[in-house]
Amino acid sequence: MSNCYIPLDRLPIGSMGRVKRLMAKDHSRRRMLDLGLISDTVVEALRQSPSGDPVAYQIRGAVIALRSEEAANILVELV
Amino acid sequence: MGLTHQSTGSADLVIALAGNPNTGKSTVFNQLTGLRQHTGNWPGKTVTNARGSFAYQGKRYILVDLPGTYSLLANSVEEEVARNFICFGQPAVTVVVVDATCLERNLNLALQILEITQNVVICVNLMDEAGRKKIKVDLQKLADLLGVPVVGTNARDGEGLAKLKEAIRQAVLRGGPCQQGKRASQMCSQVSRLIRYDEQIEKSIEKLEPLVRAHIDSRFNSRWVSLRLLEGHDDLLQTLSEQSELCEPSKSSKPSESSKLSKSSKLGMFPQDNFRRGDSELLNSLVKVKTVLEEKGIGVNELKDRIVSAIIKKAELIGQQTLIFARNDYQQFDRQVDNIVTSKRWGIPLMLLLLGGIFWLTIQGANYPSQLLAAGFFWLEGQVSALFLAGGAPEWLHGMVVLGMYRTLAWVVSVMLPPMAIFFPLFTLLEDLGYLPRVAFNLDNFFKRACAHGKQALTMCMGFGCNAAGVIACRIIDSPRERLIATITNNFVPCNGRFPTLIALTTIFLVAGQGPLQAVWAALSILAVIVLGVVLTLGVSRFLSKTILQGLPSTFTLELPPYRKPQVGRIIIRSIFDRTLFVLGRAVLIAAPAGALIWLFANTTVGGVSVLNQCAVFLDPLGRLLGMDGFILMAFLLGIPANEIVIPILIMSYSGAGSILELNSLAALRDLFVQNGWTWVTAVCTMLFMLNHFPCGTTLLTIRQETQSMKWPLVAFLVPTVCGILLCFLVAQVARLLG
């Protein structure tokens, strides 16, 4: 089970993932943490923008759009 | 910061207003103070601290609106401003506004503030929105858990604000750390009960805190300072000692030491030089404690992660204990709307329709009131002239004041005011609804390829209304590099002042003949100009981020806030006052002296030729090289107060008149221009230069104020000018080669 983490940008729209690891560094990492993306936070991929990127996620009650390269730094486990 | 007790007088009580972006913080501010601080359904409105005051029960309170931030730890400019004010501004009370519909997320900031000071009132705003979504907030429970007063409000309708004022008064009476220095340290124990970190971290704090307490002024929270020191914020000690010096005359517990410290701190860099001998103990322990932590596998980064995690988990826990969701689908409505407005099929067409509609309404709707205003102003000009003549004023004075200053001013106001008075309220309506972040979401991918931020789409839209307003709108971009890019490139979208000129030139030079096709061609040419502006914006953005703006940090997170019912009445009032009159005010400030200057240029003669003509002759070779002539370049230069007056100045120069004027038909304009050697190449080059030249004085002034530097207005001046010169040169030379 522990090996089936996927980067958040590959989480299919409409499904939920549980945050397992944050690979971002420094400034970007702080920002992710402040959004509440700490371990075991459940995130839902809500929708893609018309061109496919960014993707809007439901994070702790707020809707936040992340670009694919930032989302790729967040490893989640499918719920 | 800049606002301490010294600067406001002892009678006034300073209240800080903190909160996440988009929580209605500014509405609370407006309601309490009556001051018109602009609000919008959009994260990140306040960058500089807006201030206002209110009186309550015989006391005057100064309210300082801090930038909206999600945290105090992530080191953006806004967060630093907010943190420093709460920490060093020593407000009597800090009011934290939180969004009832999104409480858990908002508690992150509230808890961080509670770590700094316990002198807090929590204002749970948007209770009505929460009610609509069937979210129940247990305010009493929240107050019990946080240990501070909690007030529920609906700031938009003014509900709960009386209670808020009373809570603030009570909190002041209980006394803040600023009034009674000794209290801060007592409070720390209370705070520590609120958030407990891992055992290892708590142990480290225990070791460090007594030393920190001995080192810093007692008004500051030693537990919080210890945590920041562990995180590597060594610079904090220096700031603290500087602050001690600032506040010294009033109440420093140990004045002699702190002054010595701050004097030495200015001599050199931390940590080698600026400590008293006794402080080496603190430094040594800090190193020791950090080493112990590292041995346990808690390096600085791990430590930061754990601290944030602890706060967020606490927020989650409090959320669970105080929130009742009666419906699980409370976001259903927002999601359904988003399904349409951000969909692949409808998202972009809908957006084009909405924005296009706004521009069309602005241009069409502004015509008549503009004419009316102009007529009124020129009637008044006649009266004033008569007054001057009757009073026996010398001809030059009448010329400079009435024909120069007044006429330019009248011109600028009558062409700028109506479009802005239409555009800004409409745009603000979309803003208030919460639609604009969706535009940024839809378009971000294009901007990403240009190394820019999706929100730049909005600052550009605003730029169509007015570039100065567009520059101000760049505040919403939270990442510094992208904000500068958006600021510098805003001028590439033609504003209201340039649009009419572009339309006029297209109509008379590029579109021959009459008939239904003419309108289509004219529209297409204008569209081509806009597209060119957008392409240039994206290209230049990419170029800037790869060159002079390389290396500045950048991140992208975009919140899509819940949709809200717009407050139409307030939108109209606010957008008129905050945007329209604000921009107009700045324009007037520049237009009046420029008007006098233009008159002087046209009416001062040297050797029988006016200065204007001499300058034009001098500039003529350059103008020819760029497909224009000396008079056109001169008109652009003198038109710096506002782009609207470029054509009037040109007419003045060509017809040899002494003051700016307009021709009453496009045919007459065409004749005048053709007589002066215009061809379609001249028209194309003038249009290109209209699109790409230095921003107007108002915009430059605004860039200076927004960036607080002279460098960026200069860059913003040069970048489009160089682009314009290159483009015009290219077109002119190619046209010449092709005959």
Side-chain angles (χ1 to χ4, degrees):
Chain A
M1 270 306 278
S2 63
N3 287 331
C4 52
Y5 299 162
I6 53 166
L8 184 59
D9 63 321
R10 294 225 222 112
L11 184 70
I13 300 299
S15 50
M16 299 201 204
R18 184 174 282 124
V19 176
K20 282 297 162 189
R21 265 187 70 196
L22 208 53
M23 298 191 299
K25 295 259 170 336
D26 307 326
H27 193 69
S28 169
R29 184 182 188 88
R30 296 318 299 258
R31 225 159 236 280
M32 299 290 150
L33 289 172
D34 277 325
L35 291 176
L37 289 166
I38 60 168
S39 283
D40 293 331
T41 302
V42 174
V43 172
E44 182 186 356
L46 284 182
R47 66 185 70 255
Q48 288 181 319
S49 85
S51 57
D53 186 34
V55 171
Y57 299 94
Q58 176 86 32
I59 304 169
R60 294 184 179 269
V63 181
I64 311 279
L66 298 176
R67 284 178 178 174
S68 56
E69 56 268 39
E70 312 228 8
N73 279 326
I74 303 164
L75 293 186
V76 297
E77 170 189 81
L78 263 175
V79 177
Chain B
M1 288 180 301
L3 189 72
T4 57
H5 282 269
Q6 282 82 2
S7 64
T8 55
S10 57
D12 300 334
L13 293 155
V14 176
I15 311 294
L17 192 65
N20 281 19
N22 205 33
T23 51
K25 187 166 69 68
S26 297
T27 316
V28 172
F29 179 85
N30 289 333
Q31 288 280 3
L32 283 177
T33 63
L35 206 83
R36 294 193 176 88
Q37 160 87 346
H38 184 82
T39 56
N41 188 4
W42 181 260
K45 264 276 129 90
T46 335
V47 172
T48 46
N49 298 344
R51 285 164 209 171
S53 67
F54 66 94
Y56 181 69
Q57 305 234 335
K59 280 241 161 63
R60 217 161 82 89
Y61 298 85
I62 307 278
L63 198 61
V64 180
D65 191 14
L66 300 178
T69 60
Y70 295 111
S71 163
L72 297 176
L73 301 172
N75 302 325
S76 74
V77 184
E78 286 78 9
E79 289 177 17
E80 212 174 302
V81 169
R83 187 198 73 182
N84 285 354
F85 192 84
I86 295 167
C87 188
F88 311 127
Q90 295 285 307
V93 173
T94 300
V95 177
V96 185
V97 183
V98 295
D99 179 349
T101 65
C102 206
L103 186 68
E104 185 193 319
R105 176 168 156 72
N106 282 240
L107 281 175
N108 180 23
L109 178 77
L111 288 171
Q112 287 183 31
I113 290 172
L114 282 164
E115 279 208 304
I116 301 178
T117 167
Q118 194 67 1
N119 225 3
V120 166
V121 173
I122 304 279
C123 164
V124 183
N125 194 27
L126 300 169
M127 289 294 279
D128 53 343
E129 292 280 333
R132 211 165 292 149
K133 293 182 172 172
K134 304 270 183 276
I135 302 172
K136 263 197 73 158
V137 185
D138 188 341
L139 298 175
Q140 188 53 50
K141 181 91 185 167
L142 188 62
D144 291 345
L145 288 171
L146 295 176
V148 293
V150 171
V151 181
T153 59
N154 268 330
R156 284 192 292 184
D157 306 319
E159 277 170 41
L161 290 161
K163 266 195 245 164
L164 181 61
K165 283 183 192 173
E166 180 57 26
I168 293 172
R169 191 182 74 93
Q170 299 271 354
V172 171
L173 283 180
R174 282 203 318 275
C178 201
Q179 274 74 40
Q180 291 138 24
K182 52 193 177 301
R183 285 189 63 101
S185 44
Q186 293 169 2
M187 279 167 176
C188 303
S189 52
Q190 234 179 316
V191 177
S192 65
R193 257 176 259 136
L194 198 56
I195 297 170
R196 286 204 71 84
Y197 298 101
D198 310 16
E199 212 186 320
Q200 270 310 317
I201 301 176
E202 287 293 341
K203 267 189 195 158
S204 313
I205 298 171
E206 257 168 52
K207 285 206 186 102
L208 214 54
E209 204 185 331
L211 295 165
V212 170
R213 200 177 301 153
H215 181 90
I216 61 167
D217 195 294
S218 62
R219 288 172 299 132
F220 303 124
N221 181 330
S222 52
R223 178 183 161 90
W224 184 76
V225 173
S226 307
L227 270 168
R228 301 291 87 79
L229 285 179
L230 286 173
E231 282 187 330
H233 281 278
D234 293 357
D235 53 320
L236 195 68
L237 279 179
Q238 182 161 352
T239 321
L240 281 169
S241 52
E242 280 166 15
Q243 287 301 317
S244 303
E245 190 189 47
L246 275 178
C247 302
E248 201 171 284
S250 58
K251 56 252 164 183
S252 178
S253 59
K254 34 180 181 136
S256 57
E257 281 138 298
S258 45
S259 74
K260 240 186 279 164
L261 175 64
S262 42
K263 260 172 219 144
S264 55
S265 72
K266 290 200 177 88
L267 295 174
M269 294 292 289
F270 186 86
Q272 287 84 2
D273 317 331
N274 69 344
F275 271 116
R276 295 168 293 148
R277 290 251 161 71
D279 294 317
S280 56
E281 201 189 336
L282 172 59
L283 274 184
N284 286 339
S285 323
L286 183 59
V287 172
K288 237 183 268 168
V289 167
K290 275 189 177 176
T291 320
V292 171
L293 278 175
E294 255 160 62
E295 278 164 9
K296 305 262 177 191
I298 311 177
V300 172
N301 285 329
E302 177 64 22
L303 179 82
K304 286 180 177 177
D305 281 13
R306 289 194 187 191
I307 290 175
V308 178
S309 301
I311 297 171
I312 286 178
K313 277 183 190 144
K314 182 76 188 177
E316 189 182 310
L317 191 68
I318 295 178
Q320 283 165 3
Q321 288 171 284
T322 52
L323 292 172
I324 302 159
F325 295 90
R327 258 170 42 197
N328 283 329
D329 59 343
Y330 65 98
Q331 285 172 325
Q332 200 56 40
F333 175 75
D334 285 356
R335 288 193 185 190
Q336 277 166 355
V337 176
D338 275 341
N339 280 343
I340 300 166
V341 302
T342 66
S343 67
K344 227 180 196 101
R345 180 177 297 174
W346 300 112
I348 289 180
L350 198 71
M351 179 197 80
L352 289 176
L353 205 70
L354 267 171
L355 296 177
I358 289 185
F359 295 137
W360 185 80
L361 272 175
T362 304
I363 292 168
Q364 287 298 312
N367 272 338
Y368 183 68
S370 266
Q371 284 166 12
L372 213 64
L373 269 176
F377 277 125
F378 286 104
W379 174 81
L380 195 67
E381 183 188 310
Q383 307 297 307
V384 177
S385 280
L387 213 68
F388 265 73
L389 296 179
E395 187 55 34
W396 64 267
L397 188 68
H398 170 252
M400 201 156 83
V401 175
V402 180
L403 300 179
M405 280 169 82
Y406 176 86
R407 191 176 283 190
T408 310
L409 212 62
W411 205 291
V412 169
V413 172
S414 58
V415 291
M416 274 176 89
L417 181 59
M420 288 199 298
I422 298 171
F423 179 81
F424 286 143
L426 288 175
F427 202 73
T428 313
L429 183 75
L430 289 187
E431 188 179 13
D432 212 44
L433 268 168
Y435 176 68
L436 294 187
R438 272 76 186 177
V439 174
F441 180 65
N442 285 343
L443 294 180
D444 181 64
N445 210 3
F446 299 104
F447 287 89
K448 179 168 125 182
R449 283 183 211 150
C451 306
H453 198 292
K455 288 180 193 169
Q456 191 174 337
L458 307 179
T459 65
M460 285 167 70
C461 288
M462 196 55 127
F464 278 111
C466 167
N467 292 124
V471 167
I472 295 173
C474 292
R475 289 175 181 180
I476 59 175
I477 301 176
D478 44 16
S479 160
R481 187 173 65 111
E482 280 82 352
R483 183 186 298 174
L484 269 176
I485 289 175
T487 305
I488 294 167
T489 57
N490 195 269
N491 196 50
F492 283 109
V493 290
C495 65
N496 260 322
R498 289 184 277 169
F499 242 100
T501 311
L502 292 171
I503 293 173
L505 289 182
T506 333
T507 319
I508 60 180
F509 278 99
L510 302 188
V511 185
Q514 294 281 325
L517 267 183
Q518 191 198 16
V520 176
W521 277 115
L524 282 179
S525 322
I526 292 295
L527 193 68
V529 171
I530 296 175
V531 169
L532 179 67
V534 173
V535 168
L536 280 167
T537 305
L538 293 175
V540 171
S541 297
R542 194 179 160 82
F543 175 77
L544 285 175
S545 73
K546 298 277 179 212
T547 53
I548 53 171
L549 292 176
Q550 211 179 13
L552 283 166
S554 74
T555 49
F556 177 87
T557 51
L558 174 70
E559 185 177 0
L560 303 179
Y563 289 101
R564 288 194 196 138
K565 208 173 73 188
Q567 313 157 268
V568 177
R570 226 166 269 163
I571 284 173
I572 293 173
I573 294 167
R574 288 265 142 72
S575 54
I576 298 272
F577 276 100
D578 297 349
R579 282 183 173 146
T580 311
L581 292 187
F582 178 76
V583 171
L584 204 67
R586 280 197 185 164
V588 163
L589 219 65
I590 293 176
L597 193 73
I598 291 167
W599 188 86
L600 278 177
F601 261 78
N603 293 280
T604 315
T605 53
V606 178
V609 185
S610 74
V611 175
L612 177 71
N613 279 19
Q614 287 182 340
C615 289
V617 168
F618 174 76
L619 285 175
D620 203 57
L622 177 65
R624 300 271 165 212
L625 212 57
L626 304 180
M628 296 176 278
D629 64 30
F631 283 105
I632 303 176
L633 285 189
M634 205 51 210
F636 274 112
L637 282 174
L638 287 176
I640 204 160
N643 284 298
E644 286 87 344
I645 60 173
V646 169
I647 292 296
I649 293 174
L650 197 55
I651 298 170
M652 167 184 91
S653 323
Y654 280 152
S655 57
S659 54
I660 61 171
L661 56 117
E662 195 171 29
L663 291 174
N664 43 19
S665 82
L666 285 179
L669 190 65
R670 186 193 157 85
D671 289 343
L672 180 72
F673 283 180
V674 170
Q675 279 162 25
N676 283 280
W678 277 51
T679 62
W680 69 269
V681 180
T682 324
V684 168
C685 287
T686 307
M687 282 174 69
L688 280 176
F689 205 65
M690 197 72 185
L691 185 68
N692 306 286
H693 72 287
F694 37 85
C696 70
T698 314
T699 305
L700 288 171
L701 194 69
T702 307
I703 296 175
R704 206 193 94 75
Q705 303 218 311
E706 292 297 305
T707 60
Q708 294 293 318
S709 92
M710 281 306 288
K711 181 182 168 191
W712 300 118
L714 191 70
V715 172
F717 183 96
L718 289 176
V719 168
T721 311
V722 169
C723 279
I725 288 175
L726 288 178
L727 270 175
C728 289
F729 180 77
L730 204 73
V731 169
Q733 299 312 313
V734 167
R736 186 161 302 163
L737 282 178
L738 299 177

